Amino acid sequence: LFPYTTLFRSGLARLAQHDQEAEVRRAAVAALSFASPEAGPDVLPALQAALGDADWQVRQEAAQTLTRLRWSPSAPVLIATLQDNAWEVRQKAAHALGVMRSSEAVGALVGQLDHPISNVRKEVAAALGAIGDPSAAPALQARLQDTDIDVRKTAARALTLLGQAS
């Protein structure tokens, strides 16, 4: 059974990277969420490559799949994804970094607290709270004055997680 599973995941990894259709690539990336670190050497590189796909929905799915897998070696690529031109991808990358508790992402996440889309700011604040690095407190304090109430609430919750009074 193991060789079949490995071949299946390798096939999904190839589809995720090389299929002509974006929807097939996206579906293959989503299916890889059932992989494990022992699944084979091609799964993580396929997901990391998908973060650079031409289609934003494939990139978004890759960030979401990496969130489910919680593979911390993908943190540097997810940090770079915080600069994606699609806010939906940035939002999922921030969420993934928070789930992974990636302390190396704190600086890049703080830089996203001024993003014009409130959903990105809210997810970044949540990620910073999950990571728990006190150096993020001043930036989170500033978000207590955000124009969006959900961002303000999430920043306050993050500060509570950091042990800071809001």
Side-chain angles (χ1 to χ4, degrees):
L1 181 65
F2 178 72
Y4 171 77
T5 304
T6 301
L7 287 174
F8 181 70
R9 288 185 180 137
S10 293
L12 284 174
R14 275 193 303 282
L15 283 174
Q17 293 181 82
H18 303 296
D19 197 87
Q20 300 265 333
E21 297 293 325
E23 188 56 28
V24 172
R25 293 192 309 275
R26 191 200 61 72
V29 166
L32 287 172
S33 69
F34 298 102
S36 67
E38 301 81 33
D42 49 354
V43 173
L44 183 57
L47 291 172
Q48 290 176 324
L51 287 171
D53 194 272
D55 187 272
W56 72 267
Q57 292 169 318
V58 174
R59 297 190 310 269
Q60 180 185 34
E61 191 69 49
Q64 203 163 331
T65 296
L66 286 166
T67 302
R68 288 186 205 112
L69 294 172
R70 296 185 166 139
W71 285 350
S72 57
S74 61
V77 179
L78 285 163
I79 292 168
T81 304
L82 290 172
Q83 299 302 316
D84 197 279
N85 59 359
W87 70 265
E88 299 91 343
V89 178
R90 289 182 188 215
Q91 179 185 19
K92 295 296 182 187
H95 179 71
L97 291 163
V99 167
M100 292 176 191
R101 307 237 188 305
S102 176
S103 59
E104 64 188 296
V106 171
L109 286 166
V110 166
Q112 294 297 310
L113 280 172
D114 291 327
H115 194 276
I117 303 292
S118 63
N119 286 344
V120 173
R121 296 192 308 272
K122 182 174 66 172
E123 199 61 61
V124 166
L128 289 168
I131 294 168
D133 187 323
S135 69
L140 288 166
Q141 286 281 351
R143 288 295 106 202
L144 295 176
Q145 305 303 316
D146 197 277
T147 56
D148 186 277
I149 190 167
D150 290 329
V151 175
R152 292 192 305 265
K153 288 178 183 178
T154 306
R157 200 171 313 120
L159 285 165
T160 300
L161 291 171
L162 296 178
Q164 305 283 322
S166 58

